[in-house]
Amino acid sequence: MSEKTVAEILSEGALKVRYEDLSERNIEISKDKLLDNIGNLAGGALAFGNREVKRVIESYEESKEAPIFMLGGRASLGNAAMVNALSSRSNDFEPMFMNLDGVHWPSKESATLINATLTAAAVYGFSGKDYMAHEIVGEDLSVRIMAAGGRWDFNVGWDSSFTMPIYGVCAQFARMRGLNALQLRDAWGMAMGMVGGTMSHIYDYATSAKLGAGYNIRNADFATRLAAENFSSLNNIFEGDRNIFRQYRGMDNACNPDYLTKDYGKKFYMEESIKLYPVGTPATIVAFAGSELYGQCDVKDIVDIEMATPVGDYEMYYWPAYEPGRDALTHAQFSYQYALCAPLLKGPFSVKHYSEEVLHDPELLRLTSITRLTHDEKLPLNPRTIRVTITKKDGSKLEVFKDSNDFDMHNYPTREQLLAKYWDQVDAYGLIKHSTAEKLIELVDHLEDIEDMREITDLLVPEN
């Protein structure tokens, strides 16, 4: 008998996993990330782009089977989940580093996989245990596929958050819809022809930078519906001359193929770095510096700000001057100037710093305009250290140093930190009542006892 292909192993295994196969750690992380996701929805739903996509999909003639969380309205499962994922992704606040046996690599898949399963739960009404099994299977698959292809490659230009999570979502929908392993492989084959996405979205500070988080779900929904009709597609997208790694990473085959099948169905890889600050990772210590300087002087007295970084430090899309542009939020998320000046003006960083009022605040724009970014060869790159110097009208100066030892986003958050982030987002825009938010915490804490996930999803829909 010939050996099974990787696609056969993965498709057959994905359909067998049950809640009982999960570790206590898997279950803990899944619960924490669900609560975190609800907070991200509350904090991000009103961001520019989400209501616009909602208006587009509502213009289609389609079923209204699934709810659009926080914003209201209904759409087909794929389209509703697309908007929900975009909302959760909007503040760059979702988990983003996969844990590969203690090594953390960037991934950004949770907003896609959690919202695919959570939105589907509103349609199918499965249990909390089934929610965790579906979500973790999809997450494990996506992590394995991304890990097999190595870390992000900014030079190649493909964004893994656009090109990889769709395969995990296909597995999630296949499990819910009763597809067999061949049909799941068909869905994967169709998905391979649907993916795309480039890092250029971020360099241009375009709203489309978050779109992949949503259309991975919409396309997976279509692919699995079509696969259920026995629409045939590629047999094995993971190996051979036309595999996904050659197509999207420029390598003949997976560079770390062991991750595809190592302990598959027994160990479940997940994204475990839950973000505590809504800025791009390299800008976190910059936001710390701004927060420390808050209140130390009257900002109207500031005439010059210099932020010095080590030679060879991150520049990429963080370095250009902050300009509101067509989507001020996207530029703010990936701007050293904004990460420094927003907390300097408004206090420790919060999702409230991303309101339209703050993004266009005249005093904030003045502060960013006088912020100079420089490199200083005396500053160490390891630990990565920055220096911020503020000059006031009278010539006096304020100075603060921050380095990468001040913060490690791979440290799993405490319960207090997780709840503080949750309540900050709930309180920011008032999309969830406090009593409802309290109830959601209770339900997520006892997720394994829920017989119908609509106990949770019904609370995410605005009251009439």
Side-chain angles (χ1 to χ4, degrees):
M1 180 181 294
S2 60
E3 292 187 4
K4 291 183 178 180
T5 65
V6 169
E8 288 172 332
I9 294 171
L10 296 183
S11 60
E12 292 169 7
L15 301 178
K16 293 178 181 177
V17 175
R18 297 295 176 263
Y19 171 80
E20 290 71 23
D21 299 317
L22 308 176
S23 70
E24 290 185 8
R25 181 66 172 160
N26 292 142
I27 292 167
E28 175 192 7
I29 293 170
S30 184
K31 289 181 180 181
D32 286 348
K33 286 170 59 174
L34 174 57
L35 186 65
D36 183 66
N37 182 77
I38 292 169
N40 294 341
L41 284 164
L46 295 182
F48 175 76
N50 304 329
R51 285 161 291 184
E52 288 71 19
V53 172
K54 175 176 176 283
R55 284 197 293 270
V56 169
I57 65 171
E58 285 178 340
S59 70
Y60 297 156
E61 292 289 337
E62 61 170 313
S63 69
K64 306 291 185 183
E65 61 185 342
I68 298 172
F69 300 142
M70 307 296 166
L71 297 175
R74 301 183 71 85
S76 66
L77 172 53
N79 280 337
M82 175 170 63
V83 179
N84 294 337
L86 295 181
S87 290
S88 182
R89 171 77 180 83
S90 281
N91 289 324
D92 199 51
F93 217 179
E94 77 281 15
M96 69 160 293
F97 281 87
M98 50 190 177
N99 186 348
L100 303 170
D101 302 314
V103 178
H104 298 91
W105 284 1
S107 42
K108 273 191 177 295
E109 58 163 23
S110 289
T112 300
L113 294 156
I114 293 173
N115 286 292
T117 313
L118 187 60
T119 310
V123 176
Y124 297 118
F126 43 72
S127 70
K129 288 183 177 180
D130 284 340
Y131 164 84
M132 287 187 276
H134 294 326
E135 192 277 317
I136 292 170
V137 164
E139 192 166 338
D140 174 64
L141 268 167
S142 292
V143 167
R144 288 174 179 275
I145 295 167
M146 280 190 265
R151 56 173 74 233
W152 283 352
D153 189 330
F154 286 85
N155 294 318
V156 173
W158 291 106
D159 185 335
S160 294
S161 67
F162 276 63
T163 59
M164 296 302 173
I166 190 171
Y167 306 110
V169 182
C170 283
Q172 292 172 333
F173 286 162
R175 289 167 55 89
M176 299 169 200
R177 290 170 172 160
L179 271 63
N180 60 40
L182 174 60
Q183 290 169 325
L184 175 52
R185 295 196 294 274
D186 285 335
W188 281 339
M190 285 181 265
M192 180 177 169
M194 296 176 181
V195 299
T198 168
M199 299 300 296
S200 296
H201 294 292
I202 303 178
Y203 284 93
D204 284 358
Y205 310 115
T207 312
S208 54
K210 63 181 178 181
L211 195 56
Y215 73 56
N216 271 276
I217 306 175
R218 182 198 63 187
N219 290 348
D221 178 51
F222 177 74
T224 51
R225 289 179 191 267
L226 202 52
E229 301 293 332
N230 291 313
F231 193 98
S232 65
S233 191
L234 309 177
N235 284 323
N236 186 7
I237 65 172
F238 304 107
E239 298 168 297
D241 294 338
R242 295 173 296 280
N243 68 81
I244 59 174
F245 304 106
R246 171 174 288 194
Q247 177 118 11
Y248 297 109
R249 290 303 314 279
M251 56 185 71
D252 286 341
N253 290 288
C255 59
N256 300 307
D258 289 350
Y259 276 119
L260 288 170
T261 55
K262 176 185 176 183
D263 295 324
Y264 186 61
K266 299 176 182 177
K267 179 176 183 176
F268 301 93
Y269 291 105
M270 301 182 73
E271 262 182 351
E272 297 184 16
S273 298
I274 298 177
K275 295 184 73 172
L276 294 176
Y277 301 92
V279 294
T281 305
T284 302
I285 60 173
V286 179
F288 280 6
S291 299
E292 184 169 321
L293 288 164
Y294 173 69
Q296 292 196 28
C297 69
D298 185 341
V299 293
K300 289 184 170 48
D301 288 337
I302 298 174
V303 295
D304 183 74
I305 303 173
E306 180 191 70
M307 189 188 98
T309 69
V311 174
D313 192 30
Y314 301 100
E315 288 191 9
M316 300 187 299
Y317 31 76
Y318 292 95
W319 201 262
Y322 170 69
E323 298 174 354
R326 295 176 63 193
D327 185 352
L329 172 58
T330 300
H331 198 163
Q333 290 169 348
F334 302 104
S335 168
Y336 286 143
Q337 287 184 342
Y338 196 90
L340 176 65
C341 294
L344 172 62
L345 179 65
K346 299 291 184 179
F349 221 104
S350 160
V351 294
K352 288 177 282 201
H353 289 62
Y354 289 146
S355 68
E356 288 295 311
E357 179 183 2
V358 177
L359 290 166
H360 296 90
D361 185 300
E363 186 60 21
L364 185 140
L365 295 177
R366 186 188 76 82
L367 291 173
T368 57
S369 72
I370 61 173
T371 298
R372 297 177 292 111
L373 304 181
T374 64
H375 291 304
D376 185 340
E377 61 183 11
K378 295 179 181 179
L379 292 173
L381 194 56
N382 186 19
R384 176 180 175 241
T385 302
I386 66 167
R387 182 188 67 246
V388 176
T389 306
I390 287 177
T391 303
K392 297 187 288 183
K393 290 177 181 177
D394 62 5
S396 61
K397 297 180 184 293
L398 294 171
E399 191 171 71
V400 64
F401 289 83
K402 288 294 174 185
D403 67 54
S404 53
N405 287 334
D406 293 331
F407 171 70
D408 184 353
M409 73 171 296
H410 305 313
N411 291 335
Y412 199 78
T414 64
R415 175 72 170 181
E416 290 73 22
Q417 289 173 317
L418 188 68
L419 288 175
K421 174 184 175 181
Y422 175 79
W423 283 114
D424 178 57
Q425 298 195 89
V426 167
D427 293 339
Y429 302 113
L431 293 178
I432 308 178
K433 292 181 179 178
H434 254 247
S435 57
T436 300
E438 291 280 9
K439 180 65 174 176
L440 284 164
I441 294 172
E442 179 185 348
L443 289 170
V444 172
D445 281 348
H446 299 91
L447 195 59
E448 64 274 16
D449 298 327
I450 292 179
E451 294 297 324
D452 188 328
M453 280 291 290
R454 284 174 285 211
E455 284 191 60
I456 288 177
T457 60
D458 285 352
L459 297 178
L460 304 179
V461 178
E463 297 180 13
N464 294 328

